[in-house]
Every structure is written in structure tokens, then in C-alpha cells.
């Protein structure tokens, strides 16, 4: 589960993700302005084993060791090298063999299999 100030997301038993709450930047839900008091599915994610939430973005770690993020990207926190916000998950460029993720206000970090 990942909880931020205005939204929350959870990994379901089947490896998909649902989010609820305020979504002014698309971080919690599937459009830039959508908000919901009930959980809504995040499309395009599967085999998720962990989530990390920053102030206005969320990242999902898959069982394959890859990471996808969505939400605000004005500080590059989505890791797709664009600084363009995305309401749908985008792959973090060049990141594989990830074992853990963490997020804070406007940043995201990952630990890879060799401990770096």
C-alpha cells in the first residue's frame, strides 16, 4: 500500500493496482482531474509487488524487477527522461533488476539486485 496526503493506492492479490482519493495531477487515478472515494483500477499494470508514493506521483515495482510511474513529472520523478506528467504508468528508463523502491515529495529511488 502507498499513502500520500490526498490519495492512496494498493496492490491487489492478482498483482494489479487500485487507487482512490484526489487526483489533481493524475497520480492516484486515471485522468488529470479525476477523484474517487472508491478504489479505481490503474490500467496497464500487472504483476506488481510494491508501490511507493510521493507527493504527486506513484511508482509500481513489478515481479520482473521493472518500475513504472505516473503522476507529476516536473522534477523528473517518473524517470522517463521527459519531465512530462503522465496520467498512465510509464516505464522508468534503463532501470532493471530492482528489488525495492521508495518515494518522497518529488523524488523516487530504487535499490537494484547488487545493492546499488
Amino acid at each position: 500500500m502507498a499513502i500520500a496526503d490526498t490519495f492512496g493506492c494498493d496492490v491487489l492479490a492478482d498483482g494489479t493496482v487500485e487507487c482512490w482519493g484526489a487526483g489533481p495531477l493524475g497520480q492516484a487515478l486515471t485522468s488529470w482531474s479525476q477523484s474517487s472515494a472508491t478504489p479505481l483500477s490503474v490500467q496497464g499494470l500487472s504483476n506488481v509487488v510494491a508501490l511507493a508514493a510521493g507527493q504527486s506521483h506513484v511508482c509500481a515495482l513489478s515481479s520482473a524487477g521493472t518500475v513504472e510511474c505516473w503522476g507529476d513529472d516536473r522534477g523528473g520523478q517518473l524517470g522517463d527522461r521527459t519531465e512530462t506528467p503522465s496520467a498512465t504508468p510509464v516505464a522508468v528508463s534503463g532501470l532493471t533488476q530492482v528489488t525495492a523502491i521508495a518515494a518522497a515529495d518529488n523524488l523516487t529511488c530504487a535499490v537494484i539486485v547488487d545493492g546499488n
Side-chain angles (χ1 to χ4, degrees):
M1 181 176 283
I3 303 293
D5 288 345
T6 61
F7 67 92
C9 297
D10 201 6
V11 179
L12 303 181
D14 66 359
T16 60
V17 175
E18 289 186 344
C19 297
W20 61 94
L25 294 170
Q27 71 274 14
L29 305 170
T30 56
S31 79
W32 293 108
S33 61
Q34 188 177 17
S35 294
S36 177
T38 59
L40 298 175
S41 293
V42 177
Q43 300 301 308
L45 293 176
S46 62
N47 302 313
V48 174
V49 296
L51 295 170
Q55 179 179 1
S56 58
H57 73 290
V58 182
C59 293
L61 171 61
S62 76
S63 60
T66 60
V67 178
E68 293 186 58
C69 301
W70 65 100
D72 190 15
D73 193 28
R74 290 174 282 186
Q77 59 268 45
L78 300 187
D80 65 348
R81 301 180 185 185
T82 67
E83 293 191 13
T84 302
S86 178
T88 58
V90 295
V92 175
S93 300
L95 191 60
T96 60
Q97 299 182 322
V98 176
T99 59
I101 56 174
D105 290 345
N106 296 312
L107 63 93
T108 307
C109 296
V111 176
I112 57 175
V113 72
D114 67 2
N116 286 317

